[in-house]
Amino acid sequence: MSRSGQFCPRCGDPVEDGERPDLPGAPAARETGLCDACYFEDFELVSAPDRLTIRVCAQCGAVHRGNRWVDVGAEDYTDVAIDAVSESLGVHLEAREVAWQVEPEQVDQNTIRMHCYFTGVVRGEPIEEHVVVPVTISRETCTRCGRIAGDYYASTVQLRARGREPTSEEREATKEIAHAVVEEMEATGDRNAFVTEIAEREGGLDIKVSTTKIGKKIAGRVVNRFGGSFDSSETLVTEDEDGNEVYRVTYAVRLPPFTRGDVIDPEDGEGPVLVRSVHDTVKGRRLTTGERYESAFEEGDAPGGRKLGRAEDARETTLVSVEDERAVQVLDPDTYHTETIARPDFLDVEAETVPVLKSRAGLHAVPEDAIDR
């Protein structure tokens, strides 16, 4: 007779007190009261799947997890396979002091055999178990790469300018802004962020991007940098599988007629202005006096007047003499005749030479810091 007074219901042998499970979380074993021999006949330390398949994108290397694609940045998929197998394994609740390791065996390019070794203690007995889980790498195309390959886009940013063509600086900066916005979105985990196409057009630039949010961000940043404005318009292109209408959005950016560095002659008759800013209104300096200039609110960024040239068009010429507080004499850079011009407050009368811009309005000194050499 066992001291516990119990017998194994399977083999009839007496069950000793030490064999009775007293660990929390093991009610089934406690109820059956099996002896150690019968208990370990059916005991499995580890539960493991017969096989695992890992879906990876053959183009970008992303891995499909749950219901989405995830960028993992792996050079090979061994670590990915180890993680997938580890997540799929289960250890018996009665096991204590469990230790385990996984050893991958590369069978071929798309198959990895995972050898999983476990040790633990159950009912005071040390147990070892070895399971093998084959992992198949299934190479597919993720949603993002499929859209890129299919030239998918949801919005277009059109860069244009009023009364002129965008400069090379404005074009290149807009391209940089587009790529920067996409990189920022990618950094937040947005895999749907990409630039589909950048195309030079007559009169400007067209940039196709993957989402309307990206298009709006690009348009806003271009306007913040160069001034002007943008508006949007929608075009119905299709319906999705649920019958919802799908639109593409065009963001039309209109840059101001003048840019920083332009020299313009406003209609107020007070002389040429070197443009410093074109946000909301035109701001700059009078080349005749050096005083600050700002266009009227109602004129905005397009005051009446004509463009005379660019600050970088200025050429160095000899400063001949100072006539008075309002005038100096310089040599005309073409004829070498002495000409009297206005003396703005930014002109260094101690200098031997001075940069001047020659235009239909005559000769005017230009600030040294406005010249892009």
Side-chain angles (χ1 to χ4, degrees):
M1 177 73 65
S2 69
R3 283 177 293 177
S4 67
Q6 294 188 0
F7 295 88
C8 177
R10 180 178 297 179
C11 68
D13 288 345
V15 177
E16 298 295 331
D17 287 341
E19 294 180 307
R20 297 181 64 188
D22 56 359
L23 297 171
R30 188 180 301 112
E31 290 172 4
T32 57
L34 296 175
C35 67
D36 286 351
C38 292
Y39 179 80
F40 284 117
E41 281 183 6
D42 299 329
F43 183 83
E44 290 185 354
L45 178 61
V46 180
S47 62
D50 294 331
R51 175 179 294 276
L52 283 180
T53 298
I54 298 177
R55 299 166 59 189
V56 304
C57 179
Q59 279 70 43
C60 69
V63 175
H64 193 270
R65 290 177 176 168
N67 61 353
R68 64 192 184 99
W69 291 91
V70 179
D71 292 309
V72 296
E75 295 183 1
D76 61 57
Y77 296 101
T78 301
D79 290 340
V80 175
I82 291 175
D83 290 341
V85 170
S86 300
E87 293 173 1
S88 69
L89 297 173
V91 180
H92 200 285
L93 290 175
E94 285 198 42
R96 296 295 182 270
E97 300 178 27
V98 177
W100 63 285
Q101 64 179 4
V102 178
E103 294 182 1
E105 175 192 353
Q106 191 78 43
V107 179
D108 55 40
Q109 184 179 4
N110 296 319
T111 305
I112 304 172
R113 188 179 289 124
M114 292 294 178
H115 296 269
C116 309
Y117 300 92
F118 285 80
T119 62
V121 177
V122 179
R123 287 190 172 189
E125 295 291 330
I127 294 180
E128 296 182 0
E129 193 162 332
H130 171 214
V131 295
V132 178
V133 181
V135 178
T136 300
I137 305 299
S138 175
R139 301 184 186 275
E140 307 174 9
T141 300
C142 71
T143 305
R144 179 178 187 271
C145 290
R147 287 180 171 181
I148 293 174
D151 294 330
Y152 171 87
Y153 67 98
S155 65
T156 302
V157 179
Q158 293 181 337
L159 181 70
R160 303 292 187 269
R162 285 172 280 159
R164 62 181 180 88
E165 290 198 359
T167 66
S168 58
E169 177 191 357
E170 291 167 336
R171 293 170 189 256
E172 293 305 313
T174 300
K175 295 175 186 178
E176 293 174 3
I177 288 172
H179 289 301
V181 169
V182 167
E183 289 175 4
E184 291 171 11
M185 299 297 289
E186 288 177 332
T188 65
D190 185 355
R191 298 198 76 256
N192 292 321
F194 56 87
V195 174
T196 304
E197 179 185 61
I198 298 179
E200 295 282 351
R201 303 294 186 197
E202 182 177 355
L205 188 71
D206 285 358
I207 302 178
K208 295 179 179 179
V209 292
S210 57
T211 70
T212 56
K213 184 177 181 180
I214 293 174
K216 187 175 183 179
K217 280 181 174 287
I218 294 170
R221 291 193 186 182
V222 171
V223 169
N224 285 339
R225 177 163 179 177
F226 295 110
S229 61
F230 75 90
D231 53 32
S232 62
S233 60
E234 294 182 341
T235 303
L236 178 64
V237 291
T238 187
E239 291 185 353
D240 61 20
E241 58 272 14
D242 298 324
N244 299 315
E245 295 179 336
V246 178
Y247 291 85
R248 283 187 179 140
V249 180
T250 298
Y251 296 97
V253 178
R254 294 288 182 265
L255 299 179
F258 305 118
T259 68
R260 177 182 172 87
D262 281 349
V263 176
I264 64 173
D265 190 10
E267 294 177 341
D268 58 13
E270 297 184 19
V273 170
L274 171 63
V275 177
R276 293 291 196 179
S277 170
V278 287
H279 285 82
D280 298 327
T281 59
V282 173
K283 301 178 182 66
R285 298 182 73 177
R286 294 281 186 184
L287 296 186
T288 50
T289 62
E291 294 176 349
R292 294 178 59 185
Y293 164 85
E294 183 173 359
S295 59
F297 177 78
E298 57 271 17
E299 293 178 315
D301 58 12
R306 56 183 179 174
K307 178 179 175 180
L308 301 177
R310 296 278 300 167
E312 58 260 33
D313 297 333
R315 291 179 286 174
E316 291 287 338
T317 191
T318 301
L319 177 61
V320 178
S321 64
V322 178
E323 289 191 355
D324 53 38
E325 294 182 352
R326 296 184 178 183
V328 295
Q329 288 189 336
V330 299
L331 292 183
D332 184 306
D334 293 324
T335 65
Y336 299 105
H337 294 161
T338 301
E339 299 285 346
T340 298
I341 65 172
R343 176 187 169 179
D345 58 17
F346 57 75
L347 191 150
D348 181 5
V349 295
E350 301 296 329
E352 295 182 356
T353 61
V354 59
V356 295
L357 177 69
K358 187 175 183 178
S359 69
R360 68 191 77 178
L363 283 177
H364 292 88
V366 174
E368 286 279 358
D369 60 5
I371 303 173
D372 184 15
R373 296 299 188 190

